Amino acid sequence: DLFKEARSNAPCMIFIDEIDAVARARNQGGFSGGNDERENTLNQLLVEMDGFASSGKIVVLAGTNRPDTLDAALLRPGRFDRTVEIDPPDVKGRAEIFEVHLAKIRLAEPIPSLARRLADLTPGFSGAEIANVCNEAALIAARRGAPKVDSVCFDLAIDRVVAGLEKKDLTIDPHERRVIAFHEAGHALCGWLLEHADPVMKVSIVPRGKAALGYSQSLPRDLPLYHTGQLDDMMTMALGGRAAEQIVFDEVS
């Protein structure tokens, strides 16, 4: 029915979101045989797309986060044979996405400057995560009874999205808290002293999320390539927490 309607309205465009739900490879994904509904849908999709002529004036687009699971027949010439990879936005793209979402919020400072600042603080974030930050900031401001959403609300929202919900009531004995403090201090100290390590933004021993008893937040840079010195410093910073524990508590024991 979809393709019949498309032909009756040509020229037109068909967009199928999350196509991997019905177009997984037929030897995987739980297909149970020839009567499986998903396999029948996939076969019909292949048949319909085979019937397109170059003058049909119908364009079919599809989106998926798992292109590796799609059936090979679907990717042959004449079907979905052109692939566009959409990577996470760079700092300029993040600023533009923030401007879209910030326009819906009552803010305590101008949108352009706030969007640029938040874009610098959220490397690697997708559009959905940026929207989540804005929503969380608005909720935090509402809980605090603030008339407008300010920078503090956005900082707390970024922490919430990056590290998870703060667990203020989690009971940790003094020795464990001391271990966590030295561990996070080791990460932060390496990040502060090493030339090529990512700049340290925040260090906390407040538990967050499911497993984080503390965290050291750094600010990764948008770099497409890393040289040996940068990789060495990144690994050193990652192992700095465990090294700090070993140095301090081995000396004590």
Side-chain angles (χ1 to χ4, degrees):
D1 291 340
L2 171 66
F3 286 91
K4 181 180 179 181
E5 183 179 353
R7 291 188 180 92
S8 64
N9 290 281
C12 74
M13 183 181 297
I14 299 173
F15 177 68
I16 306 171
D17 197 13
E18 303 296 350
I19 193 173
D20 56 280
V22 294
R24 289 181 180 270
R26 281 168 284 192
N27 59 349
Q28 59 180 268
F31 282 124
S32 58
N35 292 323
D36 187 276
E37 182 180 352
R38 289 177 297 170
E39 186 166 358
N40 291 336
T41 303
L42 174 58
N43 290 335
Q44 185 66 25
L45 183 61
L46 296 174
V47 170
E48 293 288 352
M49 294 187 72
D50 265 346
F52 284 163
S54 58
S55 59
K57 298 182 181 180
I58 298 176
V59 177
V60 185
L61 304 175
T64 179
N65 291 322
R66 294 294 309 276
D68 55 301
T69 65
L70 297 181
D71 193 88
L74 202 64
L75 306 177
R76 289 175 185 162
R79 293 172 181 155
F80 293 111
D81 53 356
R82 296 188 181 184
T83 304
V84 179
E85 296 282 346
I86 301 178
D87 297 320
D90 58 12
V91 63
K92 181 181 177 182
R94 292 195 300 274
E96 293 174 351
I97 297 173
F98 265 113
E99 289 180 0
V100 172
H101 294 291
L102 293 177
K104 307 172 186 176
I105 302 174
R106 185 180 297 173
L107 302 172
E109 57 185 280
I111 289 179
S113 59
L114 180 60
R116 286 193 297 270
R117 175 178 172 273
L118 294 175
D120 290 334
L121 295 176
T122 52
F125 273 42
S126 65
E129 289 171 321
I130 291 173
N132 195 13
V133 167
C134 295
N135 291 336
E136 285 291 340
L139 290 173
I140 291 170
R143 294 190 193 105
R144 297 169 62 188
K148 296 182 179 180
V149 185
D150 56 17
S151 296
V152 176
C153 296
F154 282 103
D155 290 340
L156 294 174
I158 292 173
D159 289 342
R160 170 73 172 83
V161 173
V162 170
L165 185 64
E166 187 174 303
K167 295 182 178 179
K168 295 182 179 179
D169 57 344
L170 184 65
T171 303
I172 301 178
D173 66 51
H175 174 71
E176 290 176 336
R177 192 173 293 276
R178 180 176 169 83
V179 173
I180 296 167
F182 277 113
H183 181 96
E184 301 304 335
H187 289 307
L189 188 61
C190 291
W192 184 266
L193 296 177
L194 295 174
E195 178 183 0
H196 301 296
D198 295 327
V200 178
M201 285 180 53
K202 181 183 296 185
V203 183
S204 172
I205 59 171
V206 177
R208 284 183 176 271
K210 293 182 178 180
L213 297 177
Y215 73 103
S216 174
Q217 184 180 358
S218 57
L219 187 61
R221 290 158 285 191
D222 290 321
L223 297 176
L225 295 174
Y226 294 88
H227 57 68
T228 304
Q230 290 170 322
L231 294 174
D232 288 342
D233 286 354
M234 288 170 61
M235 289 188 287
T236 302
M237 184 178 178
L239 296 170
R242 180 67 188 95
E245 288 182 40
Q246 188 169 0
I247 292 171
V248 173
F249 292 100
D250 282 359
E251 288 180 354
V252 171
S253 60

